[in-house]
Amino acid sequence: MAVSLKLQKRLAASVLKCGKRKIWLDPNEINEITLANSRRNIHKLHRDGLIIKKPAVVHSRARVKARNEAKRKGRHTGIGKRMGTANARLPFKVLWMRRIRVLRRLLKKMRDAKKIDKHIYHNLYVLSKGNQFKNKRVLLEAIHELKAVNLKEKALAEQADARKGRAKSRLERKAAREAKKAADAAAADQATN
């Protein structure tokens, strides 16, 4: 009849701080192990190598790593492998947040660097909120266009001002000439009288 080593196994598990399934009792030394009925005796047997704590079972992640590597390349991600909707897998809101943050960051950077004034900034901020620009490149193009338009308007305004100034000075000269002519005529009349 086999000897029960239940007590020894329980004590060994407690002493070695592991589960009972991790305890190995030497089958050739059963008689000696049977006599061990205290923790101190169990500890001594462990030092002698009659009771051993089995090593942890290896749970390899090699296959998982290989699969993840393949997924990074785009394998195993076809229609048959997808469980959620497109929105559940990568929410539209997340995409929107990424895009709007990029655009707003660019606008703020350009305003702080004095590349655009606060009026252009505000116009473009509102337009980007209204989904006008699909990416950074399109927004940059819009900025360049707006700046070009503003420069053109400024140049035209300056030309108009210059033209007005020239016309005004011409009128003033003409008025001065006429006044001088009138004064000369009045002086001539007085001289004849």
Side-chain angles (χ1 to χ4, degrees):
M1 183 182 156
V3 183
S4 172
L5 299 172
K6 227 174 171 183
L7 169 73
Q8 285 77 1
K9 197 161 249 196
R10 179 175 65 76
L11 289 175
S14 178
V15 168
L16 301 180
K17 296 187 174 63
C18 63
K20 284 182 278 192
R21 64 196 287 271
K22 284 270 181 266
I23 298 298
W24 178 83
L25 305 173
D26 192 340
N28 302 325
E29 305 289 342
I30 285 177
N31 294 335
E32 202 171 328
I33 293 171
T34 311
L35 297 173
N37 59 359
S38 68
R39 288 164 191 275
R40 182 170 285 175
N41 290 348
I42 293 287
H43 202 69
K44 185 175 177 300
L45 291 175
H46 173 60
R47 275 203 309 274
D48 296 344
L50 304 186
I51 296 175
I52 297 173
K53 179 181 177 181
K54 289 184 197 171
V57 177
V58 174
H59 185 180
S60 171
R61 284 193 56 82
R63 287 183 296 278
V64 179
K65 280 183 183 172
R67 191 172 183 84
N68 287 344
E69 194 63 44
K71 272 194 171 182
R72 219 164 285 138
K73 292 178 183 171
R75 318 286 187 268
H76 318 291
T77 52
I79 289 168
K81 292 286 181 187
R82 299 177 198 172
M83 294 301 285
T85 61
N87 191 28
R89 287 160 65 85
L90 181 56
F92 304 151
K93 185 175 182 180
V94 169
L95 292 172
W96 164 259
M97 276 163 31
R98 281 182 195 165
R99 179 155 55 108
I100 201 72
R101 282 174 184 171
V102 165
L103 299 179
R104 285 177 180 172
R105 206 177 298 126
L106 176 71
L107 285 173
K108 189 170 183 295
K109 200 166 95 179
M110 292 192 87
R111 184 187 61 182
D112 293 344
K114 301 277 189 293
K115 288 185 179 174
I116 56 174
D117 63 355
K118 62 181 182 180
H119 305 293
I120 293 179
Y121 169 84
H122 185 69
N123 285 345
L124 293 174
Y125 188 96
V126 173
L127 286 175
S128 36
K129 186 180 180 181
N131 200 16
Q132 196 76 23
F133 312 113
K134 72 172 185 177
N135 55 33
K136 203 168 166 179
R137 180 178 52 80
V138 177
L139 177 59
L140 275 169
E141 283 171 12
I143 289 172
H144 293 318
E145 279 172 26
L146 263 176
K147 281 172 78 174
V149 166
N150 280 9
L151 279 173
K152 202 171 185 183
E153 281 176 3
K154 209 175 194 180
L156 286 171
E158 282 172 6
Q159 284 173 9
D161 285 346
R163 208 175 290 123
K164 280 179 190 168
R166 284 200 301 272
K168 194 176 183 185
S169 64
R170 204 165 39 242
L171 284 171
E172 283 171 0
R173 282 199 305 272
K174 193 176 180 185
R177 270 201 312 271
E178 284 174 0
K180 190 180 177 193
K181 206 183 276 181
D184 288 347
D189 283 346
Q190 274 181 354
T192 52
N193 289 340

